[in-house]
Amino acid sequence: MKNKKVLGSLTGAVLLGIVIIILTLTYSSAPVSPVLTEGAQEQAEFEEGRELFFLQDSGVPVEGMRLVARQGEYSLYYNPETAEVAVKDAGSGDIWHSNPVDASEDTLATPYEKESLASQFSLEFRDEKTNLLKFRSYPDSVQRGQFTAEGIEDGLRVIYTLGDNSKGIDLLPKYISADRLEEAVLSKLDEATAKYVALRYYKVKDRPGLLERLDDQVGKELVLKKMLTAFEQAGYDESQLAIDNEENGVTGSSVAEKPQFVVPLEYRLTSEGLKVNIPMSQVEENPKYPLHKIEFMEYFGAAGAQAEGYMFVPDGSGALIHLNNGKINDDRYSQELYGGDKNQSSRNRLQVTQNARLPVFGLKEGTRAWYATIMEGDGIASVNADVGGKLNNYNHVYASFQIRSEDELFMMSGNKLSEVRLTTKLGYRGAIGVKYSFLQGESANYAGMARNYQQQLVKDGRLGVASRDSSSAGSDHANTNLPFHVDVYGAITKQTAFLGVPYNAITALTTLDEAGQMGQDMQEAGISNIQMRLVGWSKGGVNHKLASATTQGKVGSNKQLAGLSAWLKEQGGALYPDVAFQQVHHDTLNFSPSQDAARFITREVASQSPYRSDLNRMSHSLYGSYYLLSPAKLSYYVDDFIKGYQKLGVPDVSLRDLGDVLYGDYRASRIVDRQQAKEVVEAELAKLDEKQGQMLIVGGNEYALAYADYVIDAPNSSSGFNIVDEEVPFYQLVLHGYVGYAGEAVNLSPDQDLERALLKMIEYGAAPHFAFTKSPSSEVKFTSFDAMYSTYYMDWLREAADLYAEANAALGPLQKVRMTDHRLVQEGVYETVYENGVRIWVNYTDQAVLVEGQKVKPMGYEIGGGAR
């Protein structure tokens, strides 16, 4: 009996230990990313300012301005009266102003708009009732005389104090004894003025001899002005005020209740142009009026009503807004970079757009142009543009920065639904900064902007150069075949039931053996250089388990996966097993939603669903839901994946979301804004790049390009906003010759027009991209994967092979050659130019056209020039 009791106790202890271990595993959270613990927003040492000295100007001066710095061909000028700056290019003689020089003569602009035209930036902030208010640097600082300037290396810093900096009514005592008022004020004034002052104070009940200021009257502008004048005449100063405040227990003043900001704006010349930034760690604000957004250098280089040219914006592949295009009734252009913050509680989507993937914008005016690169704070930035003829006559394009994130919470009180706006308590404390570069002559166009931007990316190590040898472009690579990108879908989940109980069952659309056979079929059809992305190969299928590096049994084994990779490598291609880190579809022992998922600003765990295209809103009932992994926990799960993945013997990998999706985490105890999230993602991309072989990136945001061997789903169009006039391949001009790319899968595009798709590939220098399954497409019907409605490879193989053959003949020899120019020849006809002199003309019209002696057939193309 005693032994049974002991055995029972031991068994109970073991079971208790198992339960404790399970609970520990279930509820323990992943560690925070080292990037965040080390301080993702650490600032460069703040440069101490010095007295601003003006330099001797030996050239032609800029009217109304003084020279403060020189760097190479550039000179920086400053107007100490208006705080405006200008950059002069000695080589071309061009002068670029921070503000329009003739803004005061704008007949369209109201006085309010003229103040905006004279401002270098504006601040949006909220009051205690969440009303959105705005300060502009000119009327709220410069006109008040509340700014100073100091010298810094190669430039200057202008320090603005925005808001009412005066004490106003608080220069008058709130409480004062009748004897003190008589002695210190009334006795020193004439009879009428003394009577006027005395009537603005009344006796305090229960406090004999004490008077209180009548704020309802004194707060009126004219009354306050007369009262302040009277007290000043009486010699009543701040020392007298301090006596009365101390005697009557008055502390503080309403200055602290007013919205007020101190903002240092820094200008620095470089050999390439002008850098402008605000170190947010040095910005002072009243906590009661949290800063929401900064609109930055809104009218730098603005073009007037008679100017000809365009503004470039990074919408999708790139887009142009013609100056003075007359679209004054259309909304301005405004897009958040990198697709906007996905961590929003709203389940509706206003519109379907292409993402802005490059932090660059610019303006061409006549034979000169400038373009700007957002160097700091791009994760929280938007690009905005508008044409002249609306509120003023100036076409302008600029960046804005969201310093605090916001969301909406809806609350029901009885039958009334109320909207409560929530703002993150902590704001972004890193720097925000834009670099302006200047172009002239033949380089003053969007292709010139792209070339210069490309060179800067290469110089900074932000665009891969390992795969490109410019000295051999067009020769050693002449026989290289164009990549053929194919997404092969392995396993998905389908809802089924057992004994009436519904559950999700794994269904294999393509096994690894079938994927290999499909590869052979493609080769036999004439397709080579197969770059196969394998989606749904690991546990859980397409919506796999977090950080899973184990093959899904119904798809195949680890050995088969390594075998397929080796075979494709032998054929000159590659296998890229696909992994997603930021969408978590399964609760597992190593993931705790409460600890490891991101949070909305509403403090809810961030859970989302795919969108229904017919309703343009998320649908949990149709597609299920998933969590957003906190960026703070990304490092742990990437490490976990790498540890398992390296055992598979497959070197290359496809990253579904790390170069495509960017969002913050707004839990109260640890806010991760989008800029910090970007820095975390970059660190993990660098880690994967070091540990793995080639990397295929989906989407291709700028911060991922340094690690990409190939980009798929690269933007090949713009969003088609009403204000936009043309779409251009700016993205492709930047990447071509350095990183291979392909657009969306042709057979999953909305129109499935192969003829137009081929022409777009040839115009944009893109590789073909298809999505295939071995099983018929009907297998995905009535599942959450119904977007794969047209993937049965036997339906597409012959057409894909024909398209590849033609694209390969045209673009194969050019894939390592830089694309140097692109232009609209005439409506529907485009020319693309390569570094080796090759020119390609593409005709989208239904009529043959003659271009430089070359006849281009309807819906066709011609290649000329250069040695391919």
Side-chain angles (χ1 to χ4, degrees):
M1 178 68 92
K2 185 176 181 180
N3 289 338
K4 287 183 178 180
K5 287 183 178 180
V6 171
L7 182 60
S9 298
L10 288 173
T11 302
V14 170
L15 290 173
L16 180 61
I18 292 172
V19 170
I20 291 173
I21 291 171
I22 291 174
L23 290 175
T24 301
L25 288 172
T26 302
Y27 294 103
S28 63
S29 63
V32 174
S33 167
V35 174
L36 296 177
T37 56
E38 292 166 6
Q41 290 187 15
E42 288 185 1
Q43 291 287 296
E45 186 175 345
F46 184 70
E47 181 183 346
E48 290 295 327
R50 52 175 170 74
E51 184 180 351
L52 180 62
F53 295 104
F54 296 111
L55 306 179
Q56 185 67 35
D57 192 355
S58 57
V60 179
V62 176
E63 186 177 353
M65 294 192 170
R66 306 283 300 276
L67 179 64
V68 295
R70 291 192 188 93
Q71 180 70 255
E73 293 288 306
Y74 299 112
S75 300
L76 178 64
Y77 290 81
Y78 173 65
N79 185 330
E81 302 297 324
T82 64
E84 295 172 282
V85 301
V87 178
K88 183 177 180 179
D89 183 344
S92 66
D94 288 335
I95 301 173
W96 299 97
H97 291 266
S98 61
N99 305 86
V101 293
D102 53 355
S104 60
E105 301 171 11
D106 189 338
T107 56
L108 180 61
T110 63
Y112 179 91
E113 283 302 315
K114 289 179 180 180
E115 291 174 343
S116 296
L117 289 168
S119 296
Q120 288 74 53
F121 64 90
S122 63
L123 309 178
E124 289 185 0
F125 58 95
R126 295 198 180 274
D127 63 15
E128 292 175 297
K129 296 180 179 179
T130 74
N131 297 309
L132 190 63
L133 307 174
K134 189 171 187 175
F135 277 165
R136 297 162 296 157
S137 65
Y138 183 72
D140 295 298
S141 177
V142 175
Q143 275 193 326
R144 293 173 178 268
Q146 299 172 181
F147 73 104
T148 60
E150 57 188 27
I152 55 177
E153 185 176 0
D154 296 321
L156 80 155
R157 177 186 296 128
V158 183
I159 303 172
Y160 300 82
T161 299
L162 296 96
D164 185 358
N165 200 26
S166 65
K167 286 188 176 180
I169 196 172
D170 290 296
L171 287 173
L172 308 175
K174 175 69 174 174
Y175 295 98
I176 187 171
S177 68
D179 292 340
R180 277 278 299 160
L181 182 63
E182 176 62 35
E183 175 189 349
V185 181
L186 302 182
S187 63
K188 299 177 181 180
L189 300 173
D190 60 73
E191 183 178 350
T193 305
K195 183 177 181 181
Y196 185 89
V197 170
L199 289 174
R200 271 69 191 174
Y201 279 88
Y202 63 95
K203 296 178 181 179
V204 178
K205 291 181 179 180
D206 306 323
R207 295 282 302 274
L210 185 66
L211 304 176
E212 182 177 355
R213 191 177 63 211
L214 192 60
D215 284 354
D216 284 348
Q217 288 190 27
V218 178
K220 296 176 182 178
E221 186 176 354
L222 292 177
V223 177
L224 176 60
K225 187 175 181 180
K226 291 182 71 172
M227 291 286 287
L228 289 171
T229 301
F231 273 72
E232 185 180 358
Q233 288 176 353
Y236 187 93
D237 56 20
E238 290 197 35
S239 62
Q240 296 281 341
L241 176 66
I243 294 172
D244 290 309
N245 284 346
E246 183 178 1
E247 182 178 325
N248 297 295
V250 177
T251 59
S253 71
S254 65
V255 172
E257 305 301 317
K258 299 176 183 178
Q260 190 176 107
F261 302 87
V262 178
V263 180
L265 183 64
E266 300 178 340
Y267 302 92
R268 287 182 174 87
L269 283 180
T270 73
S271 58
E272 298 153 348
L274 176 69
K275 290 179 69 174
V276 188
N277 77 292
I278 296 175
M280 294 302 299
S281 61
Q282 305 300 313
V283 172
E284 300 174 19
E285 61 179 335
N286 185 335
K288 292 186 177 181
Y289 298 89
L291 181 57
H292 168 54
K293 185 168 72 171
I294 297 180
E295 294 194 318
F296 194 83
M297 302 295 285
E298 189 173 353
Y299 288 96
F300 181 91
Q306 304 305 315
E308 295 183 357
Y310 51 75
M311 293 174 283
F312 161 73
V313 293
D315 175 23
S317 62
L320 306 181
I321 302 171
H322 294 165
L323 303 182
N324 304 302
N325 63 10
K327 298 180 179 181
I328 60 174
N329 294 318
D330 291 316
D331 293 337
R332 69 170 184 165
Y333 168 83
S334 183
Q335 266 192 306
E336 290 180 84
L337 288 178
Y338 313 136
D341 195 341
K342 307 301 180 188
N343 193 1
Q344 298 286 329
S345 63
S346 173
R347 304 186 72 82
N348 295 313
R349 181 171 57 176
L350 297 178
Q351 56 190 343
V352 179
T353 63
Q354 294 283 338
N355 289 347
R357 298 195 180 277
L358 301 177
V360 60
F361 56 93
L363 185 148
K364 171 183 170 60
E365 179 183 359
T367 59
R368 64 179 197 160
W370 61 265
Y371 76 94
T373 308
I374 302 173
M375 303 297 292
E376 298 168 298
D378 54 317
I380 59 170
S382 297
V383 175
N384 314 276
D386 212 348
V387 295
K390 292 184 177 180
L391 300 176
N392 57 63
N393 280 312
Y394 295 95
N395 305 267
H396 56 291
V397 55
Y398 62 98
S400 59
F401 300 86
Q402 187 165 319
I403 305 305
R404 282 180 173 83
S405 295
E406 295 186 340
D407 207 344
E408 297 170 348
L409 179 65
F410 292 93
M411 303 181 66
M412 183 68 74
S413 177
N415 294 324
K416 184 179 179 182
L417 183 65
S418 301
E419 175 188 327
V420 178
R421 182 168 293 277
L422 301 177
T423 301
T424 54
K425 182 177 181 181
L426 297 177
Y428 172 69
R429 299 299 289 170
I432 59 174
V434 175
K435 185 182 77 173
Y436 298 89
S437 302
F438 309 103
L439 306 170
Q440 298 83 32
E442 293 183 357
S443 295
N445 51 42
Y446 63 86
M449 296 177 194
R451 285 197 303 273
N452 280 265
Y453 176 56
Q454 178 193 72
Q455 291 164 12
Q456 190 61 54
L457 290 178
V458 172
K459 179 182 176 181
D460 295 342
R462 291 184 288 152
L463 189 63
V465 296
S467 63
R468 182 181 187 276
D469 179 1
S470 60
S471 65
S472 61
S475 55
D476 292 349
H477 296 287
N479 295 320
T480 301
N481 288 317
L482 193 67
F484 181 83
H485 290 282
V486 57
D487 300 341
V488 174
Y489 287 90
I492 63 170
T493 52
K494 294 181 70 172
Q495 192 173 82
T496 186
F498 179 73
L499 298 177
V501 179
Y503 70 98
N504 286 326
I506 294 290
T507 299
L509 299 178
T510 313
T511 67
L512 290 172
D513 284 343
E514 290 170 340
Q517 184 59 55
M518 288 163 61
Q520 293 180 30
D521 292 345
M522 287 181 234
Q523 279 200 325
E524 291 173 5
I527 298 173
S528 57
N529 197 358
I530 299 170
Q531 305 293 318
M532 183 182 292
R533 173 177 173 241
L534 190 60
V535 186
W537 62 276
S538 60
K539 289 291 185 183
V542 173
N543 295 337
H544 61 76
K545 294 182 179 180
L546 180 58
S548 174
T550 304
T551 49
Q552 176 65 52
K554 289 190 176 182
V555 174
S557 65
N558 293 355
K559 183 178 179 180
Q560 288 172 308
L561 185 72
L564 178 58
S565 173
W567 179 80
L568 282 167
K569 196 72 84 173
E570 289 171 5
Q571 310 308 312
L575 178 70
Y576 302 89
D578 181 74
V579 59
F581 288 105
Q582 299 185 98
Q583 294 182 2
V584 185
H585 293 269
H586 304 270
D587 290 333
T588 56
L589 290 178
N590 70 338
F591 173 80
S592 169
S594 64
Q595 298 296 318
D596 301 322
R599 297 270 181 155
F600 295 137
I601 297 172
T602 61
R603 306 296 184 246
E604 303 163 279
V605 172
S607 175
Q608 295 191 335
S609 303
Y611 287 97
R612 281 187 60 170
S613 57
D614 56 340
L615 299 177
N616 224 18
R617 64 173 284 116
M618 295 181 188
S619 176
H620 169 76
S621 60
L622 184 61
Y623 296 128
S625 62
Y626 54 85
Y627 299 110
L628 295 177
L629 178 69
S630 170
K633 304 302 180 76
L634 181 61
S635 179
Y636 171 81
Y637 293 104
V638 170
D639 288 342
D640 193 29
F641 172 78
I642 290 174
K643 191 190 313 178
Y645 193 72
Q646 290 189 322
K647 298 175 183 178
L648 299 178
V650 180
D652 308 322
V653 67
S654 161
L655 302 177
R656 190 187 309 177
D657 52 16
L658 285 189
D660 187 42
V661 178
L662 188 67
Y663 56 83
D665 178 6
Y666 303 110
R667 64 179 58 238
S669 61
R670 185 195 62 241
I671 291 177
V672 182
D673 60 47
R674 288 223 311 162
Q675 187 67 26
Q676 291 175 298
K678 179 197 151 203
E679 292 166 5
V680 170
V681 169
E682 283 185 284
E684 298 314 305
L685 286 167
K687 183 191 300 178
L688 285 158
D689 185 53
E690 179 185 355
K691 299 289 186 181
Q692 304 305 139
Q694 293 191 128
M695 291 208 300
L696 184 147
I697 304 286
V698 177
N701 290 337
E702 191 254 28
Y703 54 82
L705 296 181
Y707 313 101
D709 291 279
Y710 292 106
V711 172
I712 63 168
D713 291 351
N716 61 2
S717 66
S718 70
S719 302
F721 295 120
N722 289 342
I723 198 170
V724 166
D725 296 291
E726 293 181 49
E727 63 183 29
V728 295
F730 186 93
Y731 187 92
Q732 288 73 16
L733 282 159
V734 172
L735 266 64
H736 203 282
Y738 291 95
V739 177
Y741 55 86
E744 64 180 333
V746 175
N747 56 320
L748 292 181
S749 64
D751 55 15
Q752 297 182 346
D753 186 335
L754 293 185
E755 185 179 25
R756 181 169 289 275
L758 173 64
L759 292 181
K760 198 58 168 282
M761 288 176 203
I762 291 173
E763 182 195 352
Y764 279 31
H769 179 200
F770 283 80
F772 288 161
T773 58
K774 181 64 171 65
S775 298
S777 302
S778 58
E779 286 292 320
V780 301
K781 195 173 183 180
F782 303 123
T783 75
S784 56
F785 304 94
D786 59 7
M788 297 155 49
Y789 58 86
S790 181
T791 56
Y792 181 44
Y793 94 108
M794 289 304 296
D795 289 342
W796 289 98
L797 181 58
R798 185 67 264 161
E799 291 173 302
D802 291 344
L803 183 147
Y804 174 76
E806 194 159 358
N808 186 41
L811 300 175
L814 298 171
Q815 60 181 306
K816 299 298 179 182
V817 184
R818 287 188 298 186
M819 185 187 295
T820 57
D821 202 3
H822 177 273
R823 69 185 180 98
L824 172 66
V825 177
Q826 63 186 65
E827 189 66 32
V829 182
Y830 298 88
E831 178 187 61
T832 304
V833 182
Y834 289 85
E835 187 178 32
N836 60 0
V838 169
R839 293 180 168 193
I840 299 179
W841 299 280
V842 177
N843 178 14
Y844 290 96
T845 73
D846 57 3
Q847 299 290 325
V849 297
L850 192 65
V851 184
E852 298 186 17
Q854 292 274 5
K855 183 179 180 181
V856 187
K857 63 183 180 181
M859 290 300 292
Y861 64 93
E862 286 294 329
I863 303 174
R868 297 199 302 147

